[in-house]
Each structure stands twice: as C-alpha cells, then as structure tokens.
C-alpha cells in the first residue's frame, strides 16, 4: 500500500534546531557545537512518532543559488535576510550525513528553492492519490491547500493547532487558499521582502479579493490611482509568490514506502562519531 508523504522543509527544520534549544549541544570535549545536527535528528524523530508513523519522509533543502530566478524579477527579493551563522551552515553537511545514515531521502536541487521542489513533489504525489503533509512555517505553501488532501504541519505549536488545512484559510485570512499569491502580492510578504502596495493590509486585500476574485477581476473603481500605478509590479510579485509545481527533478525520488522508525539523535551522533 502506498504510504502518505511527509515533505520536510529542511532549512526551516535546521534553523529551528539551531535556535530552538535552551542550551547548546556540545561534543564531549566541549569543542564542537552539535546543536544543529542533534536538534534536527531529534525534531524529525519526534515528528515521525507523533505525526508521521507509516509515512514516507522526504527532506528538501534550498540550493545556494535557488533564489536567483526570483531575484532576477525583483532585486529586493529576500535581500533583507542576514547571512546565517557559520555554525549553522557547517551543520548542514552533518545533517545530510545523518539523513543518509537513517535512510531518509533528501534533495538539494541546483538552482531551485525548496518550496518549488516541495510543490512539485506534492503535486506529483497527489496525482498518485497520496495524502501529503508539509512540515514548515512558510506561508507560501498555503496556496497548495486548495487540495483538501494537503496539510501544513508546524510541530512548534500546541498539539491541537499543528495542522493547517484548506478549510482554515478563509476563516483565518478572508481569502481562499488558491488566492494566496494574489493576497500576498497586494499586502506584501515581509519574510521574502516583497513590499506589497502601501496602504493595503490584510483586511483591504481580502476585501478586494472578495468572492474568489483574482487580481484581474478587481473592478477598476475599487482601486485608488496610486494602487493602479503599481499594478504591473503587483502582477510581477504574484508570479514570484506562485510556487512552481513543474520543477525539473530526477526521476523516482520518492519510494512510496514508509520510512523506517528513526533512531534517537544520540544514537545518530554516536554512529557518525560526532560526539
């Protein structure tokens, strides 16, 4: 029987592991910081036990040059993000080794952001009839929730609030999941440094998109002249926010079989001689 799929936003989980522990996890001689790889392994195992028993787990990382396509459309894209700490970056190679050791498949597709790869894998899995959960806090994935068999999983929240499904989006934001790129283009996305239109916040954007409208369907008399002047940029932002569900990927990335129970983080570090 084909297993449901848990797609993991790898850089999100590594970032959470690096910054989410009250104390640093050090090697036995206290010379090496192992918080990133230890935390990643621990959080992934906990997610499997609590939410993904019997799932295939697949991890996706951003490539180093993954954002260049969108930067070419708007040079401000993600420009506000500080350079990551050196220890965080050094942990990435260790995390990949840990995934290899535990039998969890992963990919860092050259020239691609993780969200486009995940969108492509999720769309393909749904074509095959598989339920898909995406472990992330990135709201760009909301647009995939137009499919009722796709959910977002945030294990950093309280137990009863961890899943977001398409049915939650309209009550929460006033728009449908499939309108998310239009909504964010209007109001902006600080996480990606997409400015949006000055004077349009969440409530105004939802009002303009009432009844399932898209940007093309908003009556001209509801738009201020200053907003209309920015419309070409708004349309460009929407295209940047849209996830690419047809990213070119290697064949047979997914096994369709459940991932074996993951070892503890301590066992992983011991096996890889990281202590």
């Amino acid at each position: 029987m084909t297993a449901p799929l848990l797609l993991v936003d790898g850089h999100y989980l590594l970032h959470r592991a690096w910054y989410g522990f009250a104390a640093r996890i050090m090697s036995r001689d206290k010379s090496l910081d192992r918080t990133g790889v230890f935390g990643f392994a621990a959080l992934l195992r906990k997610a499997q036990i609590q939410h993904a028993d019997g799932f295939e787990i697949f991890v996706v990382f951003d490539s180093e040059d993954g954002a260049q396509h969108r930067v070419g459309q708007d040079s401000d894209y993600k420009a506000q993000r500080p350079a990551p700490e050196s220890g965080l970056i050094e942990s990435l190679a260790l995390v990949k080794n840990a995934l290899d050791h535990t039998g969890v498949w992963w990919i860092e597709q050259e020239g691609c952001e993780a969200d486009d790869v995940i969108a492509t894998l999720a769309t393909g899995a749904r074509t095959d009839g598989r339920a898909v959960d995406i472990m992330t806090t990135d709201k760009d994935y909301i647009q995939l929730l137009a499919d009722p068999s796709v959910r977002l999983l945030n294990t950093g929240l309280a137990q009863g609030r961890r899943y977001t499904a398409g049915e939650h989006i309209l009550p929460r934001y006033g728009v449908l999941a499939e309108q998310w790129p239009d909504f964010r283009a209007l109001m902006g996305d600080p996480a990606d440094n997409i400015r949006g239109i000055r004077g349009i916040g969440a409530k105004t954007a939802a009002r303009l998109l009432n009844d399932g409208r898209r940007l093309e369907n908003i009556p001209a008399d509801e738009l201020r002249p200053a907003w209309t002047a920015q419309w070409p940029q708004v349309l460009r932002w929407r295209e940047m926010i849209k996830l690419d569900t047809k990213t070119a990927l290697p064949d047979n990335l997914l096994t369709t079989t459940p991932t074996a129970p993951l070892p503890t983080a301590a066992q992983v570090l011991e096996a890889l001689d990281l202590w």
Side-chain angles (χ1 to χ4, degrees):
M1 186 174 180
T2 300
L5 178 63
L6 176 65
L7 292 167
V8 179
D9 181 341
H11 277 87
Y12 146 73
L13 191 58
L14 177 56
H15 190 273
R16 184 175 161 206
W18 185 255
Y19 293 106
F21 283 75
R24 307 310 295 173
I25 310 298
M26 305 298 294
S27 60
R28 290 191 178 102
D29 64 4
K30 307 300 181 184
S31 65
L32 299 171
D33 191 329
R34 299 306 195 200
T35 307
V37 61
F38 183 95
F40 193 103
L43 291 170
L44 189 59
R45 180 174 185 267
K46 186 175 182 180
Q48 183 188 45
I49 292 170
Q50 294 184 343
H51 300 288
D53 183 32
F55 281 58
E56 178 182 2
I57 299 174
F58 191 95
V59 180
V60 182
F61 297 100
D62 289 309
S63 75
E64 187 174 349
D65 61 346
Q68 290 308 305
H69 171 68
R70 290 181 171 92
V71 170
Q73 296 174 279
D74 187 336
S75 60
D76 290 334
Y77 181 69
K78 293 187 176 181
Q80 87 291 6
R81 296 191 181 185
E85 295 181 22
S86 59
L88 180 63
I89 294 301
E90 291 165 2
S91 295
L92 183 58
L94 301 179
V95 165
K96 292 173 180 177
N97 290 340
L99 291 172
D100 289 339
H101 171 73
T102 56
V104 175
W105 288 36
W106 60 271
I107 189 173
E108 180 181 312
Q109 183 70 6
E110 184 177 354
C112 296
E113 292 190 81
D115 50 6
D116 293 319
V117 176
I118 287 175
T120 299
L121 291 173
T123 301
R126 288 299 303 128
T127 299
D128 295 335
R130 305 175 68 184
V132 177
D133 289 342
I134 302 171
M135 188 174 177
T136 188
T137 56
D138 188 339
K139 290 183 178 178
D140 284 344
Y141 293 107
I142 285 175
Q143 59 197 275
L144 300 179
L145 301 184
D147 186 323
S149 292
V150 178
R151 302 181 298 181
L152 306 184
L153 171 63
N154 179 359
T155 58
L157 298 176
Q159 188 77 24
R161 300 175 52 233
R162 291 182 176 180
Y163 286 107
T164 299
E167 65 193 46
H168 301 132
I169 304 308
L170 183 59
R172 192 174 297 174
Y173 298 104
V175 295
L176 301 171
E178 53 264 36
Q179 293 176 286
W180 190 255
D182 304 70
F183 180 65
R184 286 301 238 186
L186 287 170
M187 64 172 288
D189 183 356
D192 288 341
N193 207 35
I194 292 175
R195 297 188 305 278
I197 294 182
R198 185 175 182 179
I200 295 184
K203 289 184 179 180
T204 301
R207 176 178 58 78
L208 291 171
L209 297 171
N210 190 36
D211 293 329
R213 292 172 180 166
R214 309 306 286 263
L215 294 178
E216 295 84 355
N217 308 128
I218 300 173
D221 60 5
E222 294 187 26
L223 299 175
R224 299 176 185 175
W227 299 351
T228 302
Q230 297 180 64
W231 217 245
Q233 181 66 68
V234 174
L235 295 175
R236 188 156 51 248
W237 285 330
R238 182 180 63 177
E239 293 309 305
M240 292 169 60
I241 295 165
K242 283 182 181 179
L243 300 183
D244 182 0
T245 61
K246 297 182 180 180
T247 302
L249 298 174
D251 294 332
N252 304 317
L253 283 178
L254 302 177
T255 68
T256 74
T257 58
T259 298
L262 298 176
T264 66
Q267 289 171 331
V268 173
L269 267 66
E270 192 71 48
L272 296 177
D273 197 25
L274 295 177
W275 284 126

